[in-house]
Amino acid sequence: MKKTIAILLVLVIGMVGVFAAASSGLPLSTETSTIDVTSTVTQFALFGVTADTVVDANFASQALFSGAVNTTITKENFDMLTLASAVEVGKLSGINSLATPVSLTITTTDFVSGSNSIGLTVSPESESILAAASSAFGTLKNTSITLVETIPGAAALAPSGDYSATITIGLTV
């Protein structure tokens, strides 16, 4: 029994030294420590067309925006006689993650049926998606795209036929 007590006493005395070292007032480091964190935001500029207005909630993310706009829309059974004045044919919207604005050009072909054509003017001919800033995408919201006949009265005098025209919107760098 005395042997067991002696062994326990040796262990207790030995452990006091271990615990004493942990709180013995060793000097603390005066240097600073740092953690560097880096990240990359992917650059993108998205735009699309719709027949109706895109709601503000759809400008909150790439996925919501992509789901709300189209790359192509079709205006079927378009009444050419309305081209005497500007007629809305769609809406243009866009979002941008760049720190600079993004420019878009808008062009149109003439209304064509066989060898017959009616000149068209598109408005606007250019637009910009604003630059991103302060944790917010740059946006272009629901810009009305309109067509009007280039020569007044030409649509009313057009020979019969199936006419078509294409409005093209392109990114300009």
Side-chain angles (χ1 to χ4, degrees), residues 64-156:
L64 289 171
F65 183 80
S66 293
V69 299
N70 304 295
T71 54
T72 302
I73 60 172
T74 302
K75 282 290 245 197
E76 294 179 332
N77 302 318
F78 184 79
D79 182 1
M80 285 183 17
L81 297 179
T82 62
L83 289 172
S85 58
V87 177
E88 182 177 277
V89 292
K91 294 185 183 294
L92 172 64
S93 296
I95 60 173
N96 174 20
S97 74
L98 302 168
T100 57
V102 173
S103 298
L104 304 171
T105 56
I106 306 163
T107 59
T108 187
T109 62
D110 291 342
F111 248 138
V112 175
S113 176
S115 61
N116 298 313
S117 69
I118 299 161
L120 296 174
T121 301
V122 67
S123 181
E125 292 179 347
S126 64
E127 268 299 335
S128 292
I129 306 173
L130 299 175
S134 301
S135 300
F137 294 139
T139 60
L140 170 66
K141 294 184 178 181
N142 301 304
T143 296
S144 178
I145 304 296
T146 62
L147 286 177
V148 66
E149 59 191 356
T150 305
I151 300 170

